[in-house]
Amino acid sequence: MEQYSFYIETYGCQMNVSDSEIVKSILLSDGMTAASLDDANIILLNTCSVRDNAEERVLNRIDTLHHILRKRKQNAVIGVIGCMAERLKDKLFDSLNAVSIVVGPDEYKKLPELARNALEGHNGLAIELSMEETYSDIIPARNSDMFAWVSIMRGCNNFCSYCVVPYTRGRERSRTVESILKEINLLKEENFKEVTLLGQNVNSYNDNGVRFPDLLRKIAEIIPEMRIRFVTSHPRDMSDALIETIAQYDNICNYIHLPLQSGSNRILKDMNRRYTVEHFFELIDKIRRLIPHCALSTDVIAGYPIETLEDHQATLDAMKHVRFDSAFMFKYSPREGTRAAKMNDEVPEEEKIRRLNEIIEQQNQISREKNEEEIGRIFEILVEAPSKKNVLEWAGRTDTNKLVIFNNKEKKYKQGDLIKIKVIRSTGATLFGEVINNN
Ligand code: SAH
Ligand code: SF4
Ligand code: F3S
């Protein structure tokens, strides 16, 4: 049998980053080898459908790749996997025949066979969603030996009115505690420094009555020397037990991503978020009471179809009230098949952009102020890599997930070191620190 090689490009959320490591493992176990884009026979794009511009980017990329491959001598095919594969299905096999493999998030085990067939000229489609598949039997081929993603559940049952994820990822299912702890123990043996637990809604984790705080506690006790992060928490199901667990364990990072989406109860209701802004504020108060210095980030959507100026102002007010450390801010993008996409969109495109910019401007100011408040504080940071701008300066992260740049001219510190720094300067996005210990 011919030896084939593959290359994977990843778009979208951390779930996709983690899935790409699973796909890599599946292909390697089949005897295929990892290669660069220039050398690979199988080029896979692991894709995202959450907003129109995410899909646009991939479609352009397919075009570019198709042109490159046509000029090549060696046999090569393009495959689309992930959320766009699930959403667009065989529509991705267009008249140009650019794409010849389409595989959804629950069918990755079929990839080796479908890829080989594609190289022999037969298109391959596998897009069934599963009630059970969690890939818990596959050890991901990780791209880092320091930071690990561990997916603890897949799918989403929430059906927020605007969101495509429940359609592309299917029904919610939790991995067994046993399989998760086995993977955590492996990471411990291999001296990983940080693990991020992944799920679209980790608070609804449930393995025969073992809930997310229980799981988190077990993990925290197995790896006291490792940092633990998780995403994403849905504000409706965030329990006191979870907040208490984070407060109780030093190795669970003091950082919570809690997507608000809108500050207007009318919009939250229409979005099917099933919490009120008052409930959200209570959660924030509880978090700040129990976990001092806990950093908070959020997601918000500007220009939801029925959003009035008053609703928009409520979002600005809520964000001003909470003062998130950072925020991911999006312009509403209609997704075919969702309830919101069928609604009459009363907010013109320019107005959506204007509202988004207003939200971004306010948040940038708050982020700058929040980071200024850190000046003079001492943090333990986990050293990551040389900074993007200057190789003599390195970057590390606080447990509150803030990036800190520090001087590493003498290369004293290496990836994975935990060092203490004092913050001396800041911008809205970054802290700058001085190392204050030498060991
Ligand atoms: N399960 C996670 C992440 C979902 S996708 C959660 O519930 O938080 C990440 C973010 O994308 C969402 O929080 C939302 O703010 C944004 N998003 C989802 N669908 C969108 C759409 N149709 N238009 C604009 N933003 C959207
Ligand atoms: Fe989408 Fe809502 Fe599920 Fe998040 S919780 S993935 S926003 S449906
Ligand atoms: Fe995108 Fe799918 Fe993640 S739609 S955000 S890649 S779950």
Side-chain angles (χ1 to χ4, degrees):
M1 201 158 51
E2 203 172 329
Q3 170 91 49
Y4 290 129
S5 63
F6 65 90
Y7 169 81
I8 310 173
E9 224 166 72
T10 308
Y11 299 80
C13 65
Q14 286 121 328
M15 198 63 101
N16 265 10
V17 176
S18 163
D19 277 1
S20 287
E21 295 183 340
I22 287 168
V23 167
K24 187 172 173 186
S25 169
I26 290 171
L27 296 173
L28 290 173
S29 314
D30 188 75
M32 297 184 181
T33 54
S36 69
L37 175 60
D38 290 337
D39 297 325
N41 304 111
I42 303 153
I43 293 156
L44 297 176
L45 306 181
N46 193 359
T47 60
C48 173
S49 288
V50 81
R51 281 168 294 275
D52 187 56
N53 58 9
E55 292 201 343
E56 224 22 73
R57 230 176 112 207
V58 168
L59 294 174
N60 288 334
R61 182 68 176 147
I62 292 171
D63 248 8
T64 311
L65 288 172
H66 186 50
H67 283 294
I68 298 175
L69 294 191
R70 269 204 307 219
K71 295 189 197 117
R72 253 197 219 172
K73 284 198 197 75
Q74 96 243 36
N75 195 2
V77 292
I78 300 174
V80 174
I81 64 175
C83 291
M84 277 176 78
E86 195 59 51
R87 196 179 87 75
L88 295 167
K89 306 184 172 35
D90 55 357
K91 280 187 228 142
L92 284 163
F93 302 127
D94 59 1
S95 53
L96 292 173
N97 225 358
V99 173
S100 41
I101 310 163
V102 174
V103 179
D106 287 345
E107 297 254 56
Y108 293 148
K109 287 177 182 163
K110 291 191 181 150
L111 259 172
E113 189 193 337
L114 294 178
R116 259 195 303 276
N117 290 346
L119 283 160
E120 284 155 19
H122 313 288
N123 284 354
L125 178 73
I127 46 163
E128 283 284 306
L129 286 171
S130 153
M131 301 293 282
E132 288 99 36
E133 185 62 85
T134 58
Y135 300 107
S136 58
D137 51 331
I138 289 166
I139 299 171
R142 299 188 196 279
N143 292 321
S144 159
D145 53 11
M146 205 79 52
F147 305 96
W149 309 104
V150 172
S151 134
I152 61 166
M153 56 188 302
R154 298 179 72 85
C156 181
N157 287 352
N158 282 327
F159 290 94
C160 301
S161 64
Y162 50 82
C163 183
V164 77
V165 172
Y167 304 92
T168 61
R169 292 271 165 177
R171 293 296 58 76
E172 203 171 275
R173 62 218 101 119
S174 297
R175 258 177 83 173
T176 62
V177 174
E178 192 196 354
S179 80
I180 296 169
L181 295 187
K182 205 167 128 195
E183 192 168 340
I184 297 288
N185 273 310
L186 270 177
L187 297 175
K188 178 182 175 153
E189 277 166 33
E190 291 170 7
N191 279 319
F192 274 78
K193 304 290 180 192
E194 184 177 296
V195 59
T196 304
L197 309 174
L198 296 177
Q200 292 299 344
N201 179 12
V202 290
N203 296 338
S204 65
Y205 177 86
N206 190 347
D207 176 29
N208 288 308
V210 181
R211 306 304 308 261
F212 185 57
D214 310 320
L215 175 71
L216 200 52
R217 217 171 284 130
K218 286 179 202 288
I219 294 175
E221 281 176 13
I222 295 177
I223 47 171
E225 65 294 335
M226 255 166 86
R227 281 183 172 185
I228 302 164
R229 301 186 186 280
F230 59 89
V231 273
T232 297
S233 284
H234 192 296
R236 179 184 49 119
D237 326 304
M238 177 137 204
S239 61
D240 291 359
L242 177 57
I243 301 173
E244 284 156 15
T245 305
I246 301 169
Q248 190 185 342
Y249 290 91
D250 275 349
N251 54 334
I252 304 178
C253 288
N254 291 342
Y255 164 68
I256 301 176
H257 180 65
L258 204 58
L260 171 65
Q261 311 300 1
S262 167
S264 155
N265 283 336
R266 192 178 77 94
I267 299 294
L268 287 174
K269 186 155 199 287
D270 198 86
M271 285 177 162
N272 191 31
R273 293 291 288 177
R274 290 169 292 169
Y275 55 81
T276 60
V277 72
E278 290 77 21
H279 171 78
F280 193 92
F281 289 167
E282 271 169 37
L283 275 179
I284 299 287
D285 286 345
K286 227 178 272 169
I287 291 169
R288 292 200 163 134
R289 219 172 32 242
L290 290 173
I291 319 169
H293 291 306
C294 186
L296 290 159
S297 63
T298 197
D299 293 347
V300 288
I301 299 176
Y304 185 74
I306 54 165
E307 187 185 75
T308 61
L309 264 182
E310 216 175 293
D311 297 319
H312 166 61
Q313 188 57 47
T315 299
L316 285 167
D317 292 346
M319 293 177 78
K320 208 172 189 170
H321 176 81
V322 175
R323 292 175 66 79
F324 295 101
D325 291 84
S326 61
F328 301 89
M329 298 158 280
F330 310 106
K331 177 164 68 75
Y332 168 74
S333 166
R335 310 314 293 138
E336 203 187 330
T338 62
R339 188 167 56 73
K342 296 188 191 82
M343 291 160 63
N344 188 19
D345 195 335
E346 294 157 21
V347 190
E349 187 64 15
E350 320 80 76
E351 177 59 10
K352 288 189 198 317
I353 296 172
R354 191 197 68 77
R355 291 182 193 177
L356 176 64
N357 285 336
E358 202 174 353
I359 289 171
I360 292 175
E361 221 167 278
Q362 176 182 285
Q363 181 57 43
N364 284 349
Q365 173 70 24
I366 294 172
S367 297
R368 263 198 306 275
E369 289 168 8
K370 291 286 265 188
N371 279 352
E372 264 167 37
E373 289 164 21
E374 310 284 34
I375 294 175
R377 264 187 80 191
I378 291 166
F379 285 99
E380 186 170 64
I381 63 167
L382 181 58
V383 176
E384 288 190 0
S387 88
K388 283 183 194 127
K389 290 189 187 137
N390 178 350
V391 286
L392 302 178
E393 303 204 306
W394 278 52
R397 223 166 261 278
T398 65
D399 87 322
T400 54
N401 206 30
K402 293 196 175 178
L403 203 65
V404 184
I405 308 290
F406 63 96
N407 185 326
N408 197 17
K409 233 183 265 170
E410 289 146 37
K411 293 233 173 88
K412 234 196 241 164
Y413 310 104
K414 58 180 193 316
Q415 194 183 53
D417 286 351
L418 275 173
I419 60 173
K420 280 214 171 68
I421 61 99
K422 183 171 176 180
V423 180
I424 51 171
R425 188 160 74 79
S426 72
T427 67
T430 321
L431 303 176
F432 297 84
E434 247 167 27
V435 183
I436 60 170
N437 72 348
N438 276 332
N439 46 39

